[in-house]
Amino acid sequence: AHHSRREVREIANKIRARLYDEDFRKAEAIPLSNGDLSVRHMELSKRSPDGHFLVRSNAAWDPGAGCPTFKNFLRQAVPDRTDRQVLQNYTGYCLLHWDRPFRKALLLAGPEGSGWETFLTAFSMAVPWAASVAPVRLARGKAGVSKLKGPWVNVQSGVSAEALTDLRLLKSFSAGVPNHGDPSQIEGVKQGGRSRKATKHVYATGELPPLAAGDQFFRRLLLVPFPKKVSAEDIAPVGTDCGLRQKLLEERDGILQWAAEGLRRVLRAWADGEGFPSARSAEKTRRRWESLSGPIGRFKADRLEVTGDPQDTVPKERLYSAYRKFCRQERVFAETKTQLTQTLTEDPLIETRRRTIKRGGDQVPCYVGVKLRD
């Protein structure tokens, strides 16, 4: 009674962090409203204080429960079947709150109203303990990192383009390895504590900036686009007079079953020594990012083939003409030649050189390491 609400939250968070650091939670099970679910055989046991769980999901284990409204929503918001499997697998992966065998972070990309907000609402019904720490705060060190001691997942929506381009941050935290530029992690290593955390990461953004990054970055990223706006009225079953959020709440147990199916696939892949199920290759993820990162990125993904071969050259004038034509077809503003060159050459496989295109002709400025598709 003598503390403000903010102080109470801070005290509670410190207690949870201390308990977690001392390995207070021992049982490797998922605490649900009707019992503790062992993931080894997906068997439910009675609720027991021996597990020392700090949180418990409101969802119940009911193998017969379904979630038709939620699945219908996903089919409309995420047309690609593989993307829907990635969402299912990663949601299940977040139920594995005591370990993080795969170095993956999930990134949802789409305009406001495209459905990723609704997905995060359903996601929270299956995963009971989430932090909300912006990437920029994680980059600052101790204050942000300390909030990840305990929560099963860090969920942050509206991530800025600037934060997404901080490669060091994604490498450090999605990888689960110590960041030796972070004083709190250095202190933990000196004291013999675990610097490797089990917290998973889910970010959402409305736009993706052009990004020059290596395969290591894209290998660790699960990128799922929500390409268009989705109307809730078109998703809820005919005859229902309740909102979509209420309908999803009624399907909470079914959403948990959906997530558990993804967890089974993750556990099988882990046991077999395979990669994260349904994850795309680094190269495909890079191209996807480019296709979502403005007209230059879409042009690059649609019309260019990046080879890195010094024998593959395209004159700058020819490529820029193709880019302007592409922008007219897309009905978007075309950037200048300078901006196009700057963006394309951020790709380490593309450079600019003067080359002789016609025998006996003069050398002209060219892009090297790329082909222009007809």
Side-chain angles (χ1 to χ4, degrees):
H2 301 288
H3 296 278
S4 67
R5 291 182 179 179
R6 179 183 62 79
E7 290 172 329
V8 170
R9 287 196 300 270
E10 289 180 351
I11 293 170
N13 287 335
K14 289 178 180 179
I15 293 173
R16 291 193 185 97
R18 178 63 61 85
L19 293 175
Y20 190 82
D21 284 344
E22 295 175 356
D23 204 19
F24 188 75
R25 178 209 36 79
K26 297 178 181 178
E28 294 184 352
I30 303 171
L32 304 175
S33 64
N34 62 340
D36 298 336
L37 181 67
S38 171
V39 300
R40 187 178 298 275
H41 302 293
M42 290 295 175
E43 294 179 349
L44 189 71
S45 60
K46 293 183 179 180
R47 294 174 58 162
S48 170
D50 295 337
H52 299 291
F53 296 110
L54 300 178
V55 296
R56 185 169 291 276
S57 173
N58 290 323
W61 183 251
D62 179 4
C67 50
T69 301
F70 175 62
K71 289 182 177 179
N72 182 49
F73 153 74
L74 278 185
R75 282 192 292 269
Q76 296 201 35
V78 186
D80 189 282
R81 183 174 179 272
T82 300
D83 287 338
R84 295 197 298 271
Q85 285 193 342
V86 168
L87 294 177
Q88 183 178 22
N89 295 342
Y90 203 85
T91 304
Y93 182 45
C94 291
L95 297 176
L96 194 70
H97 56 91
W98 58 89
D99 207 344
R100 184 170 59 189
F102 295 100
R103 300 181 176 185
K104 298 289 184 181
L106 177 64
L107 177 62
L108 315 176
E112 183 177 351
S114 61
W116 56 260
E117 305 96 329
T118 302
F119 169 76
L120 291 180
T121 298
F123 177 89
S124 66
M125 295 177 185
V127 183
W129 192 2
S132 183
V133 185
V136 67
R137 291 198 64 194
L138 292 179
R140 292 173 184 168
K142 190 172 183 178
V145 175
S146 63
K147 295 182 179 295
L148 301 187
K149 295 181 179 179
W152 300 8
V153 61
N154 180 43
V155 180
Q156 181 68 31
S157 60
V159 176
S160 69
E162 291 75 13
L164 291 176
T165 57
D166 188 348
L167 305 186
R168 182 187 64 81
L169 183 147
L170 273 179
K171 285 180 179 179
S172 298
F173 289 92
S174 68
V177 298
N179 171 18
H180 297 295
D182 180 354
S184 67
Q185 293 197 30
I186 294 175
E187 181 180 352
V189 171
K190 288 180 179 179
Q191 295 176 355
R194 293 188 311 168
S195 59
R196 183 179 186 275
K197 299 180 178 65
T199 308
K200 319 302 186 295
H201 290 259
V202 177
Y203 298 126
T205 183
E207 62 176 5
L208 295 176
L211 184 67
D215 285 350
Q216 187 179 35
F217 172 85
F218 290 108
R219 191 180 299 115
R220 291 173 177 170
L221 198 67
L222 299 169
L223 176 59
V224 176
F226 285 70
K228 59 182 180 181
K229 292 190 176 183
V230 178
S231 171
E233 290 74 14
D234 295 335
I235 297 170
V238 177
T240 58
D241 55 0
C242 59
L244 177 59
R245 183 184 179 88
Q246 179 61 32
K247 192 65 181 176
L248 294 178
L249 186 62
E250 293 172 1
E251 295 183 352
R252 178 170 53 199
D253 297 347
I255 293 172
L256 175 65
Q257 292 295 319
W258 172 84
E261 183 180 341
L263 176 58
R264 289 188 184 97
R265 287 195 287 264
V266 170
L267 292 174
R268 283 197 298 268
W270 185 15
D272 295 340
E274 300 174 352
F276 193 89
S278 302
R280 289 179 167 84
S281 67
E283 181 61 24
K284 288 184 178 179
T285 302
R286 180 200 298 275
R287 299 310 169 199
R288 282 198 121 194
W289 182 295
E290 291 172 347
S291 70
L292 299 169
S293 60
I296 295 179
R298 294 197 299 272
F299 169 74
K300 182 181 176 185
D302 185 67
R303 297 296 312 279
L304 301 183
E305 179 183 349
V306 180
T307 65
D309 189 337
Q311 301 301 318
D312 294 331
T313 60
V314 181
K316 282 188 174 183
E317 286 296 334
R318 181 187 171 197
L319 192 143
Y320 187 69
S321 295
Y323 166 68
R324 288 182 59 109
K325 180 179 179 181
F326 175 84
C327 290
R328 287 195 297 270
Q329 294 171 346
E330 294 275 304
R331 296 182 179 179
V332 295
F333 176 77
E335 297 285 357
T336 64
K337 293 181 184 179
T338 301
Q339 183 60 51
L340 177 65
T341 298
Q342 181 179 340
T343 302
L344 291 181
T345 53
E346 286 178 349
D347 190 322
L349 297 180
I350 302 177
E351 58 181 357
T352 58
R353 291 285 186 272
R354 298 184 70 86
R355 291 286 188 267
T356 301
I357 302 301
K358 297 180 180 179
R359 180 175 295 181
D362 296 331
Q363 288 188 337
V364 296
C366 294
Y367 294 102
V368 179
V370 66
K371 293 181 179 179
L372 181 63
R373 297 191 184 101
D374 296 331

